[in-house]
């Protein structure tokens, strides 16, 4: 829960009156603050602690990627399954290898009810190996017993193609 406290003070008017009425009598035995808590509704069982069971699988659309071909985009089918309780602030992280650029993500499934997650880089520049790390917002919450399927697309950079073997 979120705990909050309010502190307050009373100010007396100089005349002892407020708009032609007498000021109320103040009980000086009461504290000048009060506390409360707000519980956030969740689907986490009686213990109120969420224990998700997340499983991620990623499979590329091809075994080998040849540079210089007409189709220079690789697609990675990513499936995230939550077999436990609701998962809050759920994110998918993935690396884009040197020589490739992130081209987008698409949701697989019914286009009227499924939307692609929002993805963005986790830093302003690549790491020392030239890799970019991206984070995708999967759900807040990602409900229990949910399966998300997405296709991450990366494209070989024509000006600076990968020269070393890559690992997805």
């Amino acid at each position: 829960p979120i705990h909050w406290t309010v502190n307050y003070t009373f100010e007396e008017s100089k005349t002892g009156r407020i708009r032609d009425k007498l000021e109320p009598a103040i009980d000086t035995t009461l504290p000048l603050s009060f506390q409360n808590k707000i519980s956030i509704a969740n689907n986490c069982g009686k213990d109120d602690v969420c224990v998700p069971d997340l499983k991620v699988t990623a499979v590329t659309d091809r075994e080998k990627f040849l540079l210089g071909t007409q189709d220079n985009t690789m697609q990675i089918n990513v499936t995230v399954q939550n077999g436990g309780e609701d998962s809050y602030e759920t994110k998918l992280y993935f690396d884009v290898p040197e020589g490739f650029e992130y081209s987008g993500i698409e949701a697989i499934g019914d286009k009227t009810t499924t939307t692609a997650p929002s993805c963005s880089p986790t830093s302003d520049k690549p790491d020392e190996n030239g890799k970019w790390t991206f984070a995708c917002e999967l759900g807040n919450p990602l409900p229990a017993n949910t399966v998300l399927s997405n296709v991450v697309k990366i494209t070989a950079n024509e000006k600076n193609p990968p020269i070393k073997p890559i690992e997805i």
Side-chain angles (χ1 to χ4, degrees):
I2 299 171
H3 295 271
W4 54 276
T5 302
V6 174
N7 297 314
Y8 56 93
T9 59
F10 291 109
E11 290 185 23
E12 292 184 48
S13 70
K14 293 178 183 176
T15 63
R17 294 179 141 330
I18 300 174
R19 294 188 195 144
D20 296 329
K21 296 181 184 176
L22 290 176
E23 285 187 353
I26 299 173
D27 184 353
T28 58
T29 63
L30 295 176
L32 294 178
S33 68
F34 61 91
Q35 300 179 6
N36 208 335
K37 65 181 180 179
I38 300 171
S39 294
I40 298 171
N42 59 35
N43 188 21
C44 297
K46 292 181 182 179
D47 62 358
D48 207 30
V49 176
C50 288
V51 182
D53 181 15
L54 300 174
K55 293 180 178 78
V56 179
T57 57
V59 179
T60 60
D61 66 335
R62 57 186 96 174
E63 291 276 327
K64 291 185 179 183
F65 185 83
L66 299 175
L67 292 172
T69 60
Q70 198 166 16
D71 181 13
N72 62 350
T73 299
M74 183 182 296
Q75 297 184 19
I76 301 102
N77 296 309
V78 179
T79 303
V80 178
Q81 179 179 0
N82 182 8
E85 296 175 324
D86 288 0
S87 176
Y88 289 84
E89 301 288 333
T90 310
K91 293 182 181 179
L92 169 70
Y93 291 89
F94 62 89
D95 292 332
V96 176
E98 182 179 18
F100 282 86
E101 296 172 357
Y102 172 69
S103 301
I105 187 167
E106 290 181 12
I108 299 173
D110 183 4
K111 300 296 182 198
T112 60
T113 59
T114 307
T115 58
S118 163
C119 301
S120 57
T122 58
S123 64
D124 294 336
K125 56 186 176 183
D127 68 8
E128 64 276 357
N129 297 321
K131 289 191 297 189
W132 286 89
T133 300
F134 279 77
C136 302
E137 305 281 341
L138 296 183
N140 193 19
L142 178 62
N145 303 313
T146 299
V147 177
L148 295 179
S149 296
N150 297 287
V151 175
V152 175
K153 297 179 181 183
I154 58 173
T155 305
N157 186 327
E158 292 180 17
K159 294 177 184 171
N160 184 21
I163 53 175
K164 299 180 242 175
I166 62 163
E167 216 175 279
I168 302 294

